[in-house]
Amino acid sequence: MEREDFKIEICANSAESVKAAMQAGADRVELCAGMPEGGTTPSYGEMSLVRELMPSGVHVIIRPRGGDFLYSESECEVMMRDIEMAHRIGIDGVVLGCLTAEGQVDVKKMRALMDVAGQMSVTFHRAFDMCCDPFVALQDIEQLGCHRILTSGQQPSAETGIPLLKELVEKSENVIIMPGCGINADNIARIARETGAHEFHLSARMSVESGMLYRNPRVSMGGTVQVAEYGRDVTSVEKAGAAINSLLQ
């Protein structure tokens, strides 16, 4: 593939990760907080700083909490206000997804959120992978006018989801199918070749040890949930660059 034949989106959890994504040559970032929960809406400060760092290609996830994608009216109001804030900052796109209790796309809620987004690019995120019928969901999302769908092919990783991803690429008419989840330098070329996709979503993360010298091992900020108190994940320039290079070979 030639470089202009594909686009790479990096899932970035901080301004630091965005800088790494840019250095690696990413076309776009999806800015998220709460990575262990699958991504939640980043703060105003993070959005605005990243907007200054990256002149174009900044998308933010609009997700008020972890867990399922069945949202209350108050949660939808929160999402609308977050979209409005992102629009004021000049963010290029939003990444969101709402489902009904039956596992279908909640067209009514999606339409309300997209009305607020206006001309911003809209990606329907991996809530798609929790839909009961991916092909009905595809039709609903196309009719809504979303620009792309981020999906692992309803499998634990995009690599294992190749069969469905291929079908979705073939059946999609006006929405981009963007494989994501577990994509790296070792499998991105295969996923591209076997699915026919041209946009790819990856995190390319690495763990960084904390600089704290004093540490209290008795206390966890996650309470009963075990988290890495003295480490954090950031985007790796090397991992992101290696994935891009794999597509060029």
Side-chain angles (χ1 to χ4, degrees):
M1 297 175 74
E2 300 295 328
R3 184 61 182 90
E4 61 269 18
D5 292 335
F6 62 87
K7 289 187 180 298
I8 294 291
E9 177 179 278
I10 298 294
C11 183
N13 60 351
S14 64
E16 180 182 359
S17 288
V18 169
K19 289 178 182 178
M22 293 171 65
Q23 187 177 341
D27 300 283
R28 187 171 61 239
V29 297
E30 180 200 41
L31 185 63
C32 304
M35 287 288 206
E37 296 180 288
T40 54
T41 306
S43 72
Y44 167 84
E46 200 82 65
M47 284 192 215
S48 58
L49 177 56
V50 167
R51 172 75 291 172
E52 293 173 11
L53 293 172
M54 193 168 181
S56 64
V58 179
H59 290 189
V60 299
I61 191 168
I62 303 295
R63 188 175 177 223
R65 57 166 172 79
D68 62 38
F69 305 99
L70 180 66
Y71 296 116
S72 67
E73 293 301 322
S74 61
E75 287 174 326
C76 284
E77 180 63 29
V78 169
M79 294 167 80
M80 288 181 184
R81 295 188 185 199
D82 282 337
I83 293 170
E84 289 172 350
M85 178 179 66
H87 186 270
R88 287 196 300 270
I89 295 171
I91 298 299
D92 304 289
V94 289
V95 183
L96 47 88
C98 302
L99 302 183
T100 67
E102 294 75 27
Q104 298 173 327
V105 174
D106 192 324
V107 173
K108 182 179 179 181
K109 284 189 171 68
M110 282 296 301
R111 187 168 287 122
L113 294 171
M114 291 178 69
D115 284 345
V116 177
Q119 297 302 308
M120 299 172 77
S121 178
V122 176
T123 298
F124 194 99
H125 59 40
R126 291 190 63 217
F128 180 88
D129 291 324
M130 300 300 188
C131 289
C132 60
D133 187 323
F135 300 110
V136 171
L138 172 63
Q139 291 180 339
D140 288 339
I141 293 167
E142 286 194 315
Q143 289 173 5
L144 281 166
C146 294
H147 297 89
R148 65 186 55 78
I149 298 172
L150 169 61
T151 172
S152 62
Q154 297 200 331
Q155 295 297 322
S157 71
E159 189 168 16
T160 54
I162 283 175
L164 178 57
L165 288 168
K166 181 176 185 294
E167 281 193 83
L168 291 168
V169 170
E170 291 171 347
K171 291 180 182 296
S172 63
E173 296 181 358
N174 55 24
V175 67
I176 296 165
I177 303 300
M178 180 171 62
C181 188
I183 294 181
N184 54 50
D186 294 329
N187 60 24
I188 192 169
R190 179 193 169 206
I191 293 169
R193 182 176 62 254
E194 296 188 18
T195 65
H198 292 273
E199 293 197 9
F200 306 93
H201 173 98
L202 57 151
S203 62
R205 289 195 295 270
M206 66 177 182
S207 295
V208 176
E209 183 73 8
S210 168
M212 287 292 298
L213 299 178
Y214 172 75
R215 304 185 180 194
N216 183 354
R218 299 182 301 277
V219 178
S220 170
M221 294 298 105
T224 58
V225 178
Q226 294 300 309
V227 296
E229 301 291 343
Y230 297 102
R232 58 194 173 86
D233 289 339
V234 296
T235 298
S236 163
V237 175
E238 292 74 20
K239 287 185 177 182
I244 292 173
N245 289 336
S246 291
L247 284 173
L248 294 173
Q249 295 176 358

